[in-house]
Every structure is written in structure tokens, then in C-alpha cells.
């Protein structure tokens, strides 16, 4: 079970940490042990997971399992010798592993007609999900079964996110080709940073900018991949590679109807660390204002692979107010870290988002 969970719930799955940890594997094991599979009319409650012991788990014959279930659900339940978890661990099993992790992804079904405050057992494995753990299923057959289950039971948004996670998480190719807004092709060394850079230019730019241009693109080791000197000169921006420049500088040239409003988007790509924090934002703002740009024509973006990735979790507390965060696996969405000089009510923000 522990080996297959990361395959069933790959990188990019929401609340993946709850779904692939040991507690999840043990929860699923207890459901199998008790025969709690959709259609069997057998159910478990969290206390059965916390009270299970290694000794009991080894007694896999039918009579031993039935006797254990009967004893665990009786009023004269014996105190287990060395339980898997402390009694107060029932909440993480119920609230994190089952309710937050497994139920939303339809891996676990809930017994109907039972009050939420009832102590009766109410959880069972969804039948299709339970079949993914068959010992007779392996290799290509296992991969196909997992993919079919994901397509059938995960939401469209979840499937899209997993696909993009796979596409932008692959480092198998010898180089990463990026197609610029003007059709030009550039190559970067393979790696997670290059894949996120590709997503920024190919996915973010056309979605969030009216008329995007790539002014600057670099990769690890400050290697300059692309630099539009003519555009930089026209904008009055001094692009000095010896200075601390971001990974990507995008420019939105707007359109005629908008009065050719120009927006310079300083972008940091974070595969491990290095987001746009307060200090980084100040440095980049100084660079632009020295070139004569109004701060209102500047934007600051930190690009990540996915919300569930460790780099984002590590960086979120550092992200500068007045900047944006974007994820290549959810290209249609953006986090706006707004800053306001005066108090703003949620009603006005809500209306602004409609």
C-alpha cells in the first residue's frame, strides 16, 4: 500500500502529504483488514486504525479478522497491548487522512444516514480504488489501472494539474525548447528551473499580458539565453548582466486601445529558492526607477512548479507584498499579494474579482 500510494497520488495532487504518508497506508490497511470495501456493508471508524497493533495485523486469517472487528466494535473492547497510535491520534486519521485526503478524491466512501457525531463505523474503501492494490496487478497493467481510475474519479481540474505536473516535471530531454511570443526558439539546459521558465513564457505571458515580449532570459550560472537590446534601449532600461537581474524580464507593450501602457514584469523562477522577497523587490525597483520608470509600471512575479511543492511552501512566508505568485501546473490562476495604504473591505475586493 505504501509503495503504491505515491503512484496513485503523484506530485501535484492536492493534500498529497496526507495521502502518501504512513498513516494513510495504515488507514487503508485497516479498511482491508476489516473488509470495509464499498458494497460489503462493512465499515470502520478511526479508533480501529489507532488501536491496531503489529501483532494483530499479522493475523490475517478470516476468523482472526472477524473476531477483531467484533471485539473493536463492542462495549467490552480490550485495551490493545502496543497500539499503532495514541488515542488522541484519532483526529488526524479522521480529519486529515480520511476527510481532507481520501474522501474528496473519492478513494473512500461514507456510510449514509449516520449522524456525524455517531461513534458507529462509517468509512469504507471505494471499490475501484481498492482494486488498485491487488497483488496480481503490476507493471504496465498497474499503470493503466491507476490512470483509468484517476480519469474516472478525479476531477477534471485535478487531472489537468497532474498532467501539467508530469509535463513540467520531466527532465528527460537533452534540452528544453522555449517558444517566444514572436515565434523565436531558444534552448535551455534541462532541469526544473528551465521547465518553469518555459511555462512562464509559453503559458503565463499569453494569459496575463496583452502584448508580451521577452526582454531578458537567463539560466543557472547567470548564463544569458536571450536579451532584446533594441527593446531595452527603447525603454531606457540598462541591462547589465553584472548586476543582480531576475531570471526573466517580460514586457507588456499593451495595445493601441489601452494607450500603449507598458508594464515591466520582473520574474524569478523558483525550483529550490530565490523568490521575490521584500529586499529583492526593492533592488529591482531601484534598477527600473533609475531608468526612469514609474513604479506603477512595474510588476513582480515569482513562478513555481506547483502549490504542493516544497519550494513554494518554503518561500510563501518570504514573498513580497505587492507581488504575484504563479504555478505552471495551474496556469489560469494567480496569487495577488495586494498591499494597501488604507483599510479595504472584503466586499470591495470581492466585487473587484467578479
Amino acid at each position: 500500500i505504501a509503495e503504491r500510494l505515491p503512484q496513485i497520488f503523484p506530485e501535484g495532487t492536492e493534500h498529497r502529504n496526507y495521502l502518501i504518508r504512513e498513516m494513510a497506508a495504515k488507514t487503508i490497511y485497516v479498511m482491508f483488514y476489516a473488509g470495509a470495501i464499498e458494497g460489503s456493508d462493512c465499515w470502520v471508524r478511526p479508533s480501529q486504525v489507532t488501536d491496531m497493533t503489529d501483532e494483530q495485523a499479522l493475523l490475517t486469517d478470516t476468523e482472526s479478522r472477524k473476531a477483531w472487528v467484533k471485539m473493536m466494535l463492542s462495549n467490552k473492547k480490550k485495551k490493545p497491548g502496543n497500539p499503532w497510535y495514541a488515542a488522541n491520534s484519532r483526529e488526524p486519521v479522521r480529519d486529515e487522512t480520511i476527510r481532507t485526503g481520501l474522501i474528496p478524491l473519492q478513494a473512500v466512501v461514507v456510510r449514509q444516514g449516520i449522524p456525524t457525531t455517531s461513534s458507529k463505523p462509517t468509512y469504507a474503501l471505494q471499490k475501484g480504488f481498492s482494486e488498485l492494490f491487488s497483488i496480481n496487478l503490476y507493471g504496465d497493467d498497474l499503470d493503466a489501472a491507476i490512470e483509468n481510475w484517476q480519469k474516472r474519479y478525479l476531477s477534471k481540474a485535478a487531472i489537468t494539474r497532474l498532467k501539467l505536473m508530469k509535463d513540467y516535471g520531466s527532465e528527460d530531454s537533452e534540452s528544453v525548447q522555449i517558444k517566444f511570443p514572436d515565434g523565436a526558439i531558444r534552448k535551455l539546459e534541462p532541469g526544473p528551473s528551465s521547465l518553469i521558465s518555459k511555462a512562464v513564457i509559453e503559458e503565463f505571458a499569453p494569459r496575463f499580458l496583452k502584448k508580451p515580449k521577452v526582454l531578458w532570459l537567463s539560466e543557472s550560472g547567470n548564463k544569458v539565453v536571450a536579451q532584446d537590446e533594441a527593446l531595452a534601449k527603447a525603454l531606457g532600461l540598462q541591462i547589465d548582466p553584472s548586476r543582480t537581474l531576475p531570471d526573466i524580464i517580460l514586457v507588456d507593450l499593451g495595445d493601441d486601445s489601452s494607450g500603449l501602457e507598458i508594464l515591466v514584469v520582473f520574474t524569478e523562477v523558483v525550483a529550490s529558492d530565490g523568490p521575490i522577497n521584500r529586499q529583492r523587490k526593492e533592488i529591482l525597483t531601484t534598477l527600473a526607477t533609475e531608468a526612469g520608470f514609474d513604479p506603477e509600471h512595474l510588476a513582480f512575479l515569482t513562478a513555481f512548479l506547483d502549490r504542493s511543492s516544497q519550494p513554494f511552501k518554503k518561500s510563501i512566508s518570504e514573498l513580497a507584498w505587492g507581488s504575484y505568485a504563479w504555478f505552471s501546473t495551474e496556469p489560469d490562476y494567480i496569487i495577488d499579494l495586494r498591499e494597501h495604504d488604507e483599510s479595504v473591505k472584503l466586499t470591495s475586493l470581492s466585487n473587484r474579482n467578479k
Side-chain angles (χ1 to χ4, degrees), residues 179-198:
K179 186 176 182 179
F180 281 27
D182 62 2
I185 302 293
R186 296 288 188 274
K187 291 184 178 181
L188 274 69
E189 294 294 325
S193 295
S194 297
L195 290 165
I196 299 172
S197 295
K198 175 182 174 71

Side-chain angles (χ1 to χ4, degrees), residues 39-252:
S40 68
D41 199 31
C42 294
W43 311 88
V44 299
R45 60 189 183 195
S47 62
Q48 289 171 266
V49 179
T50 57
D51 288 346
M52 177 59 84
T53 66
D54 288 340
E55 294 75 18
Q56 182 66 47
L58 292 173
L59 303 176
T60 56
D61 62 279
T62 302
E63 292 304 316
S64 294
R65 293 190 293 116
K66 284 184 176 180
W68 178 79
V69 171
K70 184 177 180 180
M71 182 268 294
M72 289 298 296
L73 299 180
S74 72
N75 294 326
K76 298 180 180 180
K77 182 174 67 173
K78 295 180 182 178
K79 187 176 181 180
N82 188 21
W84 276 352
Y85 299 103
N88 60 6
S89 295
R90 287 194 300 270
E91 284 73 19
V93 171
R94 181 193 64 209
D95 298 336
E96 297 176 355
T97 300
I98 297 177
R99 291 182 179 176
T100 301
L102 295 168
I103 290 176
L105 298 180
Q106 302 187 58
V108 163
V109 296
V110 182
R111 187 179 181 181
Q112 299 302 305
I114 305 296
T116 56
T117 55
S118 174
S119 61
K120 290 183 178 180
T122 56
Y123 304 113
L125 294 173
Q126 187 262 344
K127 193 172 188 305
F129 178 71
S130 71
E131 292 169 353
L132 300 179
F133 299 94
S134 169
I135 59 173
N136 297 318
L137 202 58
Y138 51 86
D140 292 340
D141 291 337
L142 174 61
D143 294 340
I146 289 175
E147 184 176 352
N148 288 335
W149 183 85
Q150 290 172 337
K151 287 180 179 179
R152 184 174 180 183
Y153 292 103
L154 299 189
S155 68
K156 183 178 179 181
I159 291 294
T160 301
R161 190 179 181 197
L162 294 180
K163 182 182 182 302
L164 289 171
M165 191 74 177
K166 183 178 180 181
D167 292 345
Y168 286 115
S170 174
E171 303 176 39
D172 297 334
S173 59
E174 294 181 0
S175 65
V176 175
Q177 288 194 347
I178 300 180
K179 186 176 182 179
F180 281 27
D182 62 2
I185 302 293
R186 296 288 188 274
K187 291 184 178 181
L188 274 69
E189 294 294 325
S193 295
S194 297
L195 290 165
I196 299 172
S197 295
K198 175 182 174 71
V200 168
I201 293 172
E202 295 183 353
E203 303 293 340
F204 171 84
R207 279 177 169 84
F208 292 94
L209 305 181
K210 295 177 181 178
K211 190 176 180 181
K213 289 281 188 179
V214 178
L215 183 65
W216 168 271
L217 172 64
S218 65
E219 60 183 358
S220 57
N222 293 322
K223 179 183 176 183
V224 180
V225 177
Q227 180 177 352
D228 192 331
E229 294 182 357
L231 179 57
K233 185 176 181 180
L235 295 174
L237 277 173
Q238 299 297 319
I239 303 297
D240 183 356
S242 66
R243 301 186 67 173
T244 309
L245 294 174
D247 298 311
I248 303 171
I249 303 177
L250 298 172
V251 177
D252 188 357

Side-chain angles (χ1 to χ4, degrees), residues 310-327:
Q310 192 58 37
F312 174 64
K313 293 177 181 179
K314 176 183 174 184
S315 301
I316 187 170
S317 62
E318 299 180 48
L319 294 177
W321 292 110
S323 70
Y324 301 94
W326 180 82
F327 312 95

